[in-house]
Amino acid sequence: MAKDIVIEAKNFNFYYGSVKALTDINIKIEKNSVTGIIGPSGCGKSTFLRSLNLMNNLILTARYDGEILIDGDNILKKDIDVVQLRRKVGMVFQKSNPFPKTIFENVAYGLKINGIKDKELINQRVEESLKGAALWDEVKDRLHVSAFDLSGGQQQRLCIARALAVQPEILLMDEPASALDPTATLKIEELIQVLKSKYTIIIVTHNMQQAARVSDYTAFFMMGKLIEYNKTNIMFTNPEHKITEDYITGRFG
């Protein structure tokens, strides 16, 4: 029986003004899987990732065609509710970006702007989210100190907790560990493995070993095209295309 497909791009093209950044992207992403997106700098990885929650709409020259279906609904249609979409599709950026607020207020922020006023529910959701991000035990006694008092790795897990608080279905991660030391990176990778039981995760990474460790499927982008997409163990041991093999083995990139 086929697994549930949560995200499907069909003939998706993306332009920055007259520059075509993505060409004919076709991909299906399964529910509760981790998909790693790899490829050299400027190949369209982050552009594709940010298309999945319409973050690119913030760029004036951005335009696109084709379809991106999330739960069967085309998010590129004119009347899409972007706020609702971003509630469903959370995002964690390359550089941790906590707000200049307390740890508690950072996690509660999304709940409050979505109109939740019930203090008991907010307290419960903050605790659940911090536990979900494997941070609760480290911060439960200092929820009301500044988020900036946390280490870099803790700040990144706080940003994951903030994304989890609004209960998304999909979590986008744009090189979430690239600014972290090896110990903090390992914690993020372990966390991804735990989170995929509840969320569908897509992670852009420059790190081949990380892609091999954390993802069930890998998509290789090159010059705005999706060159190859397969189960990670197949991609890394028996890729279809020589260019994929050359990239994975470090011959270029």
Side-chain angles (χ1 to χ4, degrees):
M1 189 172 116
K3 291 204 176 176
D4 291 344
I5 301 300
V6 175
I7 299 169
E8 181 176 5
K10 294 182 178 180
N11 303 322
F12 178 64
N13 298 285
F14 188 92
Y15 307 81
Y16 293 108
S18 59
V19 177
K20 195 172 192 182
L22 293 171
T23 301
D24 283 336
I25 305 300
N26 289 280
I27 190 170
K28 293 180 180 180
I29 293 173
E30 288 181 3
K31 186 174 184 176
N32 298 119
S33 63
V34 180
T35 300
I37 300 181
I38 61 171
S41 293
C43 70
K45 301 186 298 293
S46 291
T47 297
F48 178 68
L49 191 77
R50 287 162 178 258
S51 298
L52 299 177
N53 68 348
L54 301 182
M55 285 293 284
N56 291 325
N57 284 17
L58 301 171
I59 300 162
L60 289 175
T61 58
R63 60 190 176 86
Y64 39 74
D65 54 53
E67 290 182 292
I68 294 179
L69 306 177
I70 293 185
D71 292 333
D73 193 21
N74 182 17
I75 66 167
L76 305 184
K77 65 187 181 186
K78 291 279 189 285
D79 61 346
I80 191 76
D81 183 337
V82 176
V83 174
Q84 189 65 36
L85 173 69
R86 290 184 188 147
R87 200 176 296 159
K88 180 185 276 195
V89 186
M91 186 148 192
V92 178
F93 296 92
Q94 181 173 359
K95 190 175 183 307
S96 60
N97 57 341
F99 301 138
K101 297 173 180 286
T102 66
I103 293 167
F104 182 92
E105 287 295 334
N106 263 272
V107 183
Y109 181 80
L111 302 172
K112 291 179 176 176
I113 63 166
N114 280 310
I116 296 174
K117 296 187 172 74
D118 182 335
K119 284 188 178 176
E120 199 173 312
L121 177 60
I122 290 171
N123 289 341
Q124 178 190 333
R125 200 78 75 75
V126 167
E127 181 174 338
E128 284 171 2
S129 303
L130 287 166
K131 282 178 175 171
L135 191 58
W136 175 253
D137 290 341
E138 294 166 49
V139 302
K140 62 185 177 188
D141 299 322
R142 49 190 185 125
L143 293 175
H144 300 291
V145 305
S146 169
F148 296 136
D149 287 0
L150 299 174
S151 70
Q154 288 174 324
Q155 286 186 16
Q156 191 61 299
R157 281 183 285 143
L158 179 66
C159 293
I160 293 171
R162 191 172 68 199
L164 298 182
V166 295
Q167 298 183 321
E169 292 176 24
I170 297 161
L171 204 52
L172 309 178
M173 296 183 158
D174 195 354
E175 298 196 56
S178 66
L180 304 180
D181 64 45
T183 306
T185 296
L186 182 62
K187 283 192 172 176
I188 297 288
E189 290 182 6
E190 288 171 345
L191 179 56
I192 288 168
Q193 291 305 309
V194 172
L195 290 175
K196 77 172 182 182
S197 65
K198 289 186 177 178
Y199 308 94
T200 302
I201 298 172
I202 303 166
I203 175 171
V204 165
T205 178
H206 266 106
N207 183 322
M208 289 305 104
Q209 290 77 25
Q210 183 171 74
R213 284 192 299 264
V214 305
S215 39
D216 303 303
Y217 293 86
T218 298
F220 171 51
F221 279 69
M222 177 88 181
M223 297 178 70
K225 294 182 178 176
L226 175 59
I227 305 298
E228 193 164 341
Y229 174 58
N230 212 330
K231 289 185 173 177
T232 297
N233 58 346
I234 295 173
M235 188 90 121
F236 277 77
T237 55
N238 189 25
E240 278 181 39
H241 301 284
K242 186 172 188 307
I243 195 167
T244 310
E245 183 182 349
D246 286 350
Y247 183 73
I248 285 171
T249 55
R251 290 196 190 113
F252 76 94

